Every structure is written in structure tokens, then in C-alpha cells.
Amino acid sequence: MSGFAEVVDTALNQTLTIAGHDILWREIVGNSFGLASAIGGMRRRVWAWPVGIVGNVLLFTVFLGAAFNTPQGENLLGQAARQVMFVVVSAYGWVRWTRSRHDGGSPVTPRWATWRERAALVVVAAVLVGVLTPVFSALGSFPPVWADAWIFTGSLLATYAMARGWVDFWLVWVAVDAVGVPLLLRAQLYPSAVLYLVYGAFVVWGFFVWAKASRQEQTVADPSYQEVA
């Protein structure tokens, strides 16, 4: 192993001991990037997408604990898979917001999803959770597996809705956090669980910020505008 590779390996595997539990620094750093991305998303900053991707790559190695020899040693396949999904959807959001900004406008104009769009989200959520739960179970994901399947599904839908500029995406994140905190505590991934709690408070704030922006900007664009919600 080269000197540089050894430095990288050492940095990735440094741990912090809290209350007798070893916690990887890359879990803390990855979640910090995730929080920074969420703040950027609320402020509608294009940099939110690449910052989030860095966090996703780090957390991918954390949630495949058995493969990457983390202190917990547990595979949360839904959590790991959603990091890959985040990278893909974030690339889409990054391109979409960048193009909108280059066209002379805001990266995204918040709006409520239509009832048809909301119905589509509900249908997709039900189908994906139903399909992924037995798949993740067969692959040995940490139980309860339905929770892992929902976290993946909800994260996919929330990220897509954010890229589209739908205010509703904040509410989807609330539902993801409500399931994610107990699951992560059970798996002893404490920094991630704490960050989910922080997200829970943050997404409520972000929801009101985007809802207000939607009302103001849509009214300016169309004085006859009425909210779907």
C-alpha cells in the first residue's frame, strides 16, 4: 500500500468513542455534508447538490458496515442504496438548477405539487416499498426491513420532488425522518440518528420557508394564482 493510500485508509477509519461506542469520523463528516446540502437546498443554492454528493459517497461506506468493516458491522442496504440513488438524482437536480440559473432566473421556483403529481408519489411509494422489502430482506438488510425500504423510497421521492421544486418534498422528508431515527438508533449509528433528529426540525423550518416563497413568487408571476394545498 502506498503512503498516500495509507493516509487515506487511516483517515477513513479514524473513530471517536462516545459512551463506550466507536463511531467513524467519516460518518460524522458525511452527515455534516448532508446537513450543509440541506441548508443549501432550502436557500436554493446550486452548490447544495455537489456538496450532498460528497456526503453520499462517505455514508455509502458507513451503511455497508459488513463490507467496509465498520465498528457496527451491519449492512443497511436501503440506506446504502439510497446514497447511490442520491448521487444519480442529485446529478439531475444539479443540471436542472444550473440550467435554470443560466437562463436568467432562480435555480428553482417553489410550487406545490398538483393532486395528480401527489397521487403519483403515493402510488410509486407503495409499489417500491412492497417490492423492495422482500428484496432487502433476502439480501440480509438490518431489520425491520420495511423501514429500510421506506427510507430508500421516501428519500428517492423527496430528492426528485426537490429537483422539481415541489414544496411537498419537505413533508416527505418528515416521514423519512420519523422512521429513520428509530432504525438508526437500533443499528447503533448514533451520529446518523442525531442528524435525522436535526433534519426533523430543519425540514419543518424549510417547509415553511419554501411554502412562503411559493406563495410570494407564484403570486408575482400570476396574480390569479391559488395554492393547491
Side-chain angles (χ1 to χ4, degrees):
M1 183 179 292
S2 67
F4 176 76
E6 289 180 356
V7 170
V8 172
D9 181 70
T10 300
L12 288 176
N13 290 289
Q14 286 295 313
T15 60
L16 175 68
T17 302
I18 300 178
H21 296 282
D22 291 330
I23 298 170
L24 286 168
W25 271 106
R26 70 174 183 265
E27 182 182 355
I28 298 172
V29 173
N31 279 307
S32 298
F33 272 85
L35 180 59
S37 176
I39 293 172
M42 184 191 69
R43 298 177 63 188
R44 289 181 278 166
R45 299 292 190 265
V46 174
W47 57 257
W49 297 106
V51 166
I53 289 173
V54 174
N56 299 147
V57 172
L58 290 172
L59 291 175
F60 175 79
T61 69
V62 172
F63 291 123
L64 284 184
F68 287 90
N69 299 315
T70 67
Q72 294 77 22
E74 298 288 353
N75 284 336
L76 278 75
L77 299 181
Q79 293 276 10
R82 82 174 188 146
Q83 306 308 318
V84 178
M85 173 275 297
F86 277 149
V87 172
V88 175
V89 181
S90 293
Y92 164 74
W94 190 358
V95 171
R96 183 180 178 88
W97 284 25
T98 299
R99 285 177 177 174
S100 296
R101 187 179 64 179
H102 287 170
D103 288 340
S106 170
V108 65
T109 299
R111 69 170 178 87
W112 289 94
T114 66
W115 285 110
R116 177 175 294 183
E117 289 165 339
R118 291 172 180 172
L121 288 178
V122 171
V123 170
V124 171
V127 170
L128 284 180
V129 171
V131 170
L132 292 176
T133 297
V135 172
F136 287 168
S137 181
L139 293 173
S141 190
F142 188 75
V145 182
W146 69 265
D148 208 18
W150 160 244
I151 291 170
F152 174 84
T153 299
S155 300
L156 169 63
L157 297 178
T159 307
Y160 173 77
M162 175 181 168
R164 300 289 297 179
W166 299 345
V167 178
D168 311 61
F169 92 89
W170 294 104
L171 301 179
V172 180
W173 276 128
V174 171
V176 170
D177 293 340
V179 174
V181 171
L183 180 65
L184 292 169
L185 287 174
R186 179 181 171 86
Q188 298 184 7
L189 293 167
Y190 300 114
S192 296
V194 169
L195 187 66
Y196 267 51
L197 287 172
V198 174
Y199 276 152
F202 176 80
V203 296
V204 172
W205 178 30
F207 166 74
F208 285 110
V209 170
W210 271 47
K212 180 179 179 181
S214 171
R215 185 167 54 251
Q216 292 176 338
E217 296 183 27
Q218 293 288 355
T219 300
V220 170
D222 180 6
S224 64
Y225 167 77
Q226 294 183 342
E227 290 183 341
V228 175

